[in-house]
Amino acid sequence: MDLHNLTAHEVGDLLRRREVSAVEVTEAMLERIEVVDGRVRAFLTRTAEQALEQARAVDAARARGEDPGILAGVPMALKDNLCTEGVRTTCASRMLAEWIPPYDATVVNRLKKAGAVILGKLNMDEFAMGSSTENSSFFPTRNPWDLERVPGGSSGGSVAAVAAGEAYYTLGSDTGGSIRQPASFCGVVGMKPTYGRVSRYGLVAFASSLDQIGPVTRDVTDCALVLGVIAGHDPLDSTSADVPVPDYRATLWPDIKGLKIGIPREYFGTGIEPEVENVVRRAINKLEELGAVCEETSLPHTEYALPAYYLVAPAEASSNLARYDGVGFGLRVPGRDIVEMYMNTRSQGFGPEVKRRIMLGTYALSSGYYDACYLKALKVRTLILKDFENAFTKYDVLATPTSPTVAFRLGEKAGDPLAMYLSDLCTIPINMAGLPAISLPCGFSQGLPVGLQLIGKAFDEATLLRVAYAFEQATEYHRRRPELGVA
Amino acid sequence: MEYEAVIGLEVHVELKTNAKAFCSCTTAFGGEPNTHVCPVCLGLPGVLPVINRRVVEFGLKTALALNCQVASFCKFDRKNYYYPDLPKNYQISQYDLPLARGGYLTINVDGKERVIGITRVHMEEDAGKLIHVDSPDGGYSLVDYNRTGVPLLEIVSEPDLRSPAEARAYMEKLRTILQYLDVSDCKMEEGSLRCDANVSVRPRGSQTFGTKTEVKNLNSFRSLQRALEYEIERQIAILESGGRVEQATMAWDESRNVTYVMRTKEEAQDYRYFPDPDLVPLEIDAAWIERVRRELPELPDARCRRLIEDYGLPAYDAGVITSSRDLADYFDRVVALYPDAKTVSNWLMGDFLRLLNAADLEPRQSPVPPEELASLLQLQKDGTISGKIAKQVLEEMFASGKGARQIVEEKGLVQISDEAALTRIVEEVLAANPSVVEDYRNGKEKALGYLVGQVMKATKGKANPSLVNRLLKERL
């Protein structure tokens, strides 16, 4: 049996039936990483010892007759912007290359309580800025379906690890599409929960009002399980909502008869590859076959989402990243005085994309430009939210492509920031509105995965999961695995 | 030309909540450097602030005591600037929607009462402390983050103050109110109360403002007054010589008694304020405001009026007594036992405060509890001891912590009112001073005083003065 081809809940069932031990699964996964990660390059840090220790603890608990839960003992990994006590957390930046947090992020705490086996930390675009994982200060991650292509970004490592069978599930973070776009590129399930659904405490901030942590999994059931573990109010995050968390797995009924699905025409506009559009439209037809009522609709302010995002996100980032100054922690490059030390540290610690956004954000907030840039962007943001609220008076969910294209080649857009920014066109409006959305595999174009994005009402992840589950049960795309040239 | 000063103060008050503004670290002053810290107040990657409800509560108390309008909706903003003692390189503060606006307080200078407007009251977090170390190879700086995240209130006045004395009176009044509210230690030497002063001058009678400078970080009443005096003189001298005052941020050099320029308008900071996305806006409902309002203590002005109306104290006395909540509380406790308010006030304003100041103590720390002061006054009133002895006893009480009666008994200070015993002494004094007796009989009234003094001397001050007077007169 190829353990690494299973899903988290399948492995969880084996563990519960004690057909395999957590240590065996962990060892198998560590070996899998050994075999494929040289090609995929998803991991920045591996924590084999810690993982085995966690696995032994789960086995011991089960040996005592306890049931620590379906995800207990299932190996997983974390995007490297989630703080892990005692394990370096780099954000793929030279700035934090050696930084070891003294605390765990709330999601890490919750996973540990659920018996997670943590294999290590995953590559990403530096400080989560980018759409290809080429902005990592260390090395780019590759798309398991075609090693010459990018896995997407910024959670490229998280997504590639799941696609390549190096972890049963992972966590990513999504500020403008950083979970969904790479999930689409790599043929896995990725969800950005509602803003406030999952605590951000311990997530190294990029743009605080947009960031959200979410699961990357092989199927919808796993997505429901992982979301159930990480969701819920956290007193350490005042933006985390005190809203009850349903048992998502229990709501996975493959019946969507009569459900109303809006198809916003703006998401099928210029820039979308015709074959991607065909695949997505066929997926929507499938939903209709399953009994959903699909109807074209409009979100008229969609075209303003991208420019507004590129004011709001960099503005917040410029402030969030000000703390990386060489004084308290992280990289310090000496200088003759404090100002020179700041400048040397930040010049050498940050890569070009991070610097670009800090400059953009500093400009957008500076006096004389605040009203025209930042404030205007906030107003646009309100209009975008209103578009969605309006649509949700008529529809239960909205369906769109996740990305206008399939995975592009390494280096293809790396020198053209604007072209890179366009790859998040379909995902950014959802972050601006704080809504939940899921990307799931819905077909292939040129042999590469295509993602279907479903967008839901605030805190209604359950409906998204239900629609995604119905689609998944009726199709086989989620069972396809990349070849990777190994057995 | 005659000039007048226009002064506005920005006062920073450290709140004495147990926990910091956005985390649960202690706010205790001192401590080994960097021991009162956690990931949140150190601004480590990934952390998030959560507002401490007590901070808002203390802010509300203060705003209401200063007669402000409390905002039903306010938010936190980030004030971005680079400084090594500011771990995040932004300060969480409030910008366009502060906690409260539009209040006032009254001051009294040279018998003139004035109402000084309060522009706004807002909440923010404090920064850490830098310790600069000189060394042969250029020196270095150490950072202590114990104070980072300690909650502050910033209280901004209208430019209503017209002299350094008024500025000082405003600051003193503000401190008194804050002490009554028990929201801050108000220890200027520990930085828990400090102020920046905006000051300009203009020809007296002019309605337009001159160019102002801001004098930063005045941390005593004395430096506030002296820095303002200096800065006003400096600005007048510039205008008199035909120059123009440059807008600038100044610092006060305590040792040299001068202000100097820290930065000019051209170097002014752009703080790039924007709403802090990590903190949800605060909604303060009317019920919360009402609850805090009901819990407000009696404030100094009201208490001063009460002392005048209920006890008939002179306004001056009432002002001195209520200038410290501690002293006023002490007064109330003494008066409850010894209802002659004017006598109590005389004693408190005189020997009691003198002895306290000499020992550098607050009234609440007095070694003489209010009950003991009352019993001392009672001893004097019922004639057990004389006024002069009472003063000695008070000093003894301060020094030893013993009770009034105990001291009087141990030292045998009870007044001699025994007529037979005193008659004997009176006769001895008369016999010993025939020429003084002669003088008195020739109409020299003052001679009586001398004879009384001699009797007192002979009895070590214990003779009952009125009895001595009567006995002397009978025999003269």
Side-chain angles (χ1 to χ4, degrees):
Chain A
M1 174 174 46
D2 267 345
L3 273 177
H4 65 79
N5 276 333
L6 302 178
T7 62
H9 63 92
E10 286 165 351
V11 173
D13 286 339
L14 291 180
L15 287 164
R16 273 184 158 173
R17 293 201 298 269
R18 298 176 64 181
E19 288 176 27
V20 65
S21 74
V23 169
E24 284 166 343
V25 175
T26 304
E27 280 170 346
M29 232 19 168
L30 290 170
E31 198 185 309
R32 172 72 179 173
I33 294 168
E34 204 57 51
V35 172
V36 303
D37 203 53
R39 261 162 285 185
V40 178
R41 311 212 72 188
F43 279 83
L44 286 176
T45 304
R46 300 187 205 172
T47 52
E49 279 313 304
Q50 186 195 300
L52 287 166
E53 202 177 297
Q54 287 159 341
R56 281 191 288 269
V58 171
D59 285 339
R62 288 218 165 93
R64 288 194 298 271
E66 294 167 25
D67 179 8
I70 179 111
L71 290 178
V74 179
M76 59 85 61
L78 298 161
K79 187 173 181 177
D80 207 24
N81 57 355
L82 291 164
C83 287
T84 40
E85 184 179 347
V87 176
R88 72 174 190 151
T89 297
T90 68
C91 287
S93 178
R94 274 191 293 278
M95 194 62 94
L96 289 176
E98 307 299 332
W99 186 63
I100 297 172
Y103 66 101
D104 277 330
T106 295
V107 290
V108 175
N109 253 321
R110 291 186 177 180
L111 285 168
K112 283 182 174 174
K113 284 206 185 90
V117 169
I118 302 172
L119 298 166
K121 307 297 288 290
L122 299 160
N123 201 16
M124 55 187 282
D125 283 303
E126 184 179 9
F127 283 104
M129 297 178 194
S131 309
S132 67
T133 313
E134 291 166 290
N135 291 328
S136 166
S137 294
F138 305 121
F139 47 77
T141 294
R142 289 162 185 269
N143 190 317
W145 293 90
D146 177 350
L147 296 173
E148 295 311 306
R149 290 179 188 261
V150 302
S154 64
S155 307
S158 300
V159 167
V162 172
E166 298 180 82
Y168 291 102
Y169 67 96
T170 61
L171 293 191
S173 70
D174 189 316
T175 306
S178 283
I179 289 174
R180 291 159 288 155
Q181 181 257 24
S184 164
F185 281 12
C186 292
V188 298
V189 176
M191 178 186 256
K192 182 201 94 75
T194 312
Y195 184 79
R197 180 54 107 178
V198 177
S199 167
R200 291 183 295 115
Y201 188 82
L203 166 68
V204 180
F206 159 17
S208 311
S209 75
L210 300 158
D211 295 341
Q212 186 62 180
I213 299 166
V216 178
T217 60
R218 289 191 172 152
D219 69 6
V220 174
T221 303
D222 282 357
C223 186
L225 288 171
V226 176
L227 182 64
V229 170
I230 63 174
H233 179 246
D234 176 11
L236 296 177
D237 175 359
S238 64
T239 64
S240 98
D242 200 354
V243 174
V245 179
D247 178 351
Y248 293 113
R249 194 182 189 182
T251 63
L252 295 180
W253 287 106
D255 174 10
I256 54 167
K257 280 194 191 66
L259 206 93
K260 293 203 178 69
I261 300 179
I263 315 298
R265 69 174 73 94
E266 290 80 4
Y267 287 70
F268 294 83
T270 48
I272 188 167
E273 287 174 358
E275 185 53 22
V276 168
E277 176 164 359
N278 283 339
V279 170
V280 172
R281 290 212 184 269
R282 280 201 299 274
I284 291 165
N285 290 342
K286 188 81 195 173
L287 292 171
E288 279 190 304
E289 277 173 35
L290 294 169
V293 182
C294 296
E295 189 179 287
E296 191 177 90
T297 184
S298 172
L299 300 168
H301 296 95
T302 301
E303 64 173 306
Y304 305 109
L306 190 74
Y309 174 88
Y310 276 98
L311 292 169
V312 173
E316 293 183 10
S318 72
S319 174
N320 284 333
L321 270 57
R323 72 193 66 198
Y324 304 100
D325 60 3
V327 174
F329 55 84
L331 180 74
R332 174 185 292 181
V333 183
R336 276 169 306 185
D337 56 26
I338 180 99
V339 174
E340 199 181 277
M341 189 277 280
Y342 284 159
M343 293 203 288
N344 292 347
T345 300
R346 291 170 69 81
S347 299
Q348 294 178 41
F350 290 137
E353 183 59 27
V354 172
K355 286 178 188 163
R356 185 152 42 235
R357 298 208 196 184
I358 289 173
M359 285 191 281
L360 203 59
T362 304
Y363 182 82
L365 289 175
S366 59
S367 81
Y369 300 95
Y370 179 89
D371 286 6
C373 299
Y374 186 76
L375 203 61
K376 191 81 161 187
L378 289 188
K379 288 176 181 167
V380 169
R381 193 172 175 175
T382 305
L383 293 176
I384 290 165
L385 177 60
K386 293 239 165 83
D387 275 0
F388 280 111
E389 283 174 351
N390 189 33
F392 283 123
T393 61
K394 282 186 278 180
Y395 306 106
D396 299 296
V397 295
L398 302 173
T400 75
T402 306
S403 166
T405 69
V406 291
F408 44 88
R409 285 189 169 72
L410 282 151
E412 189 181 330
K413 298 185 180 180
D416 184 352
L418 288 181
M420 187 77 89
Y421 296 168
L422 286 171
S423 67
D424 292 332
L425 205 61
C426 300
T427 50
I428 275 174
I430 292 90
N431 297 76
M432 294 292 272
L435 299 173
I438 190 170
S439 176
L440 65 154
C442 72
F444 288 81
S445 162
Q446 314 160 52
L448 294 165
V450 173
L452 171 70
Q453 175 173 248
L454 300 171
I455 307 160
K457 298 172 190 171
F459 298 101
D460 190 16
E461 287 84 359
T463 301
L464 285 185
L465 289 165
R466 201 176 112 211
V467 178
Y469 186 67
F471 182 85
E472 191 180 84
Q473 292 303 299
T475 57
E476 290 290 323
Y477 307 114
H478 65 288
R479 294 196 202 282
R480 301 258 289 265
R481 301 278 184 265
E483 294 293 330
L484 276 168
V486 290
Chain B
M1 198 188 306
E2 219 191 317
Y3 291 90
E4 98 178 329
V6 176
I7 301 164
L9 297 186
E10 291 170 17
V11 177
H12 285 94
V13 186
E14 256 181 25
L15 296 178
K16 63 171 185 187
T17 51
N18 293 325
K20 290 185 178 181
F22 302 109
C23 64
S24 57
C25 286
T26 175
T27 55
F29 179 76
E32 286 293 300
N34 298 311
T35 53
H36 300 172
V37 294
C38 72
V40 173
C41 56
L42 287 174
L44 294 188
V47 297
L48 296 171
V50 177
I51 182 68
N52 173 354
R53 194 183 160 91
R54 296 284 287 164
V55 172
V56 184
E57 195 112 3
F58 280 21
L60 284 178
K61 265 186 167 184
T62 307
L64 293 174
L66 296 173
N67 310 294
C68 292
Q69 278 294 320
V70 172
S72 56
F73 179 92
C74 70
K75 65 177 172 71
F76 289 100
D77 301 274
R78 292 185 183 177
K79 181 179 183 180
N80 293 283
Y81 62 102
Y82 277 77
Y83 209 68
D85 68 1
L86 192 67
K88 303 183 290 291
N89 283 323
Y90 62 79
Q91 180 188 28
I92 301 175
S93 182
Q94 294 193 288
Y95 182 51
D96 54 343
L97 296 174
L99 178 67
R101 297 184 209 254
Y104 63 88
L105 60 73
T106 56
I107 56 168
N108 203 306
V109 176
D110 299 332
K112 217 173 83 188
E113 184 158 284
R114 292 205 52 218
V115 177
I116 307 300
I118 307 252
T119 316
R120 58 186 275 154
V121 175
H122 76 244
M123 300 174 280
E124 60 184 34
E125 58 177 344
D126 212 341
K129 195 171 81 177
L130 293 176
I131 301 140
H132 302 288
V133 183
D134 275 329
S135 92
D137 36 299
Y140 55 92
S141 299
L142 300 167
V143 199
D144 178 2
Y145 290 120
N146 280 355
R147 202 176 59 193
T148 60
V150 166
L152 293 180
L153 281 188
E154 181 170 329
I155 300 166
V156 182
S157 84
E158 291 288 309
D160 288 347
L161 299 158
R162 290 290 171 270
S163 70
E166 285 191 359
R168 182 179 181 144
Y170 169 88
M171 187 78 175
E172 286 176 341
K173 185 60 170 284
L174 194 54
R175 184 175 71 159
T176 304
I177 292 170
L178 295 165
Q179 284 174 335
Y180 269 66
L181 296 172
D182 203 24
V183 296
S184 172
D185 287 331
C186 294
K187 287 185 181 159
M188 297 186 87
E189 68 283 6
E190 289 179 6
S192 63
L193 183 67
R194 49 194 195 260
C195 103
D196 304 335
N198 286 296
V199 53
S200 62
V201 296
R202 65 184 177 193
R204 191 171 294 282
S206 163
Q207 289 306 303
T208 52
F209 291 131
T211 305
K212 70 173 182 188
T213 60
E214 185 183 19
V215 188
K216 284 287 204 194
N217 245 327
L218 300 165
N219 52 15
S220 71
F221 293 122
R222 195 175 113 102
S223 55
L224 169 65
Q225 183 154 5
R226 293 193 13 206
L228 284 175
E229 281 161 2
Y230 179 88
E231 183 58 18
I232 290 164
E233 284 305 312
R234 189 185 72 89
Q235 292 189 12
I236 290 174
I238 290 171
L239 296 180
E240 285 284 283
S241 63
R244 275 178 42 208
V245 174
E246 295 289 332
Q247 191 174 324
T249 304
M250 318 284 290
W252 171 242
D253 185 332
E254 187 77 54
S255 56
R256 292 189 302 136
N257 272 324
V258 294
T259 58
Y260 62 93
V261 175
M262 281 169 75
R263 56 175 181 267
T264 60
K265 192 182 173 190
E266 283 66 35
E267 313 160 57
Q269 295 266 11
D270 179 356
Y271 291 118
R272 304 190 310 283
Y273 279 102
F274 76 105
D276 191 328
D278 288 332
L279 286 158
V280 286
L282 283 175
E283 290 187 40
I284 300 168
D285 60 25
W288 191 6
I289 296 171
E290 266 326 294
R291 189 166 53 69
V292 173
R293 196 191 298 279
R294 277 198 307 274
E295 287 166 7
L296 283 183
E298 186 184 32
L299 292 168
D301 287 350
R303 196 153 186 180
C304 187
R305 279 194 300 275
R306 177 166 66 82
L307 295 197
I308 295 167
E309 284 162 18
D310 291 5
Y311 298 117
L313 275 194
Y316 175 81
D317 291 38
V320 173
I321 299 285
T322 55
S323 67
S324 143
R325 179 181 181 173
D326 231 25
L327 186 61
D329 285 347
Y330 194 96
F331 173 85
D332 276 344
R333 288 176 63 186
V334 179
V335 169
L337 298 165
Y338 185 84
D340 178 357
K342 178 59 187 160
T343 302
V344 176
S345 134
N346 286 347
W347 275 86
L348 288 187
M349 294 192 304
D351 291 272
F352 180 76
L353 276 186
R354 177 177 59 79
L355 290 165
L356 267 189
N357 289 340
D360 198 20
L361 294 173
E362 296 295 320
R364 111 184 76 87
Q365 304 164 308
S366 162
V368 177
E371 299 73 33
E372 283 303 324
L373 183 64
S375 74
L376 176 70
L377 300 185
Q378 193 59 49
L379 286 171
Q380 189 198 348
K381 190 184 178 201
D382 63 21
T384 309
I385 56 172
S386 66
K388 194 171 165 201
I389 294 287
K391 283 174 183 260
Q392 280 175 34
V393 173
L394 184 63
E395 297 215 15
E396 185 64 30
M397 289 164 82
F398 257 88
S400 67
K402 290 181 182 168
R405 272 176 205 286
Q406 192 187 352
I407 290 168
V408 168
E409 278 163 24
E410 279 177 9
K411 303 221 158 178
L413 297 174
V414 175
Q415 191 159 258
I416 302 170
S417 300
D418 176 341
E419 198 168 326
L422 274 184
T423 304
R424 204 166 54 244
I425 296 165
V426 163
E427 280 170 356
E428 280 169 25
V429 166
L430 291 177
N433 296 282
S435 61
V436 183
V437 172
E438 195 57 36
D439 287 350
Y440 181 80
R441 290 187 175 138
N442 290 333
K444 271 198 171 173
E445 293 277 332
K446 262 164 56 184
L448 181 67
Y450 177 80
L451 294 170
V452 172
Q454 291 303 109
V455 176
M456 287 312 217
K457 195 176 168 190
T459 60
K460 297 199 178 89
K462 290 188 286 184
N464 182 331
S466 58
L467 187 54
V468 172
N469 267 290
R470 179 165 66 75
L471 293 174
L472 277 170
K473 280 185 182 164
E474 280 169 11
R475 277 155 189 75
L476 285 165

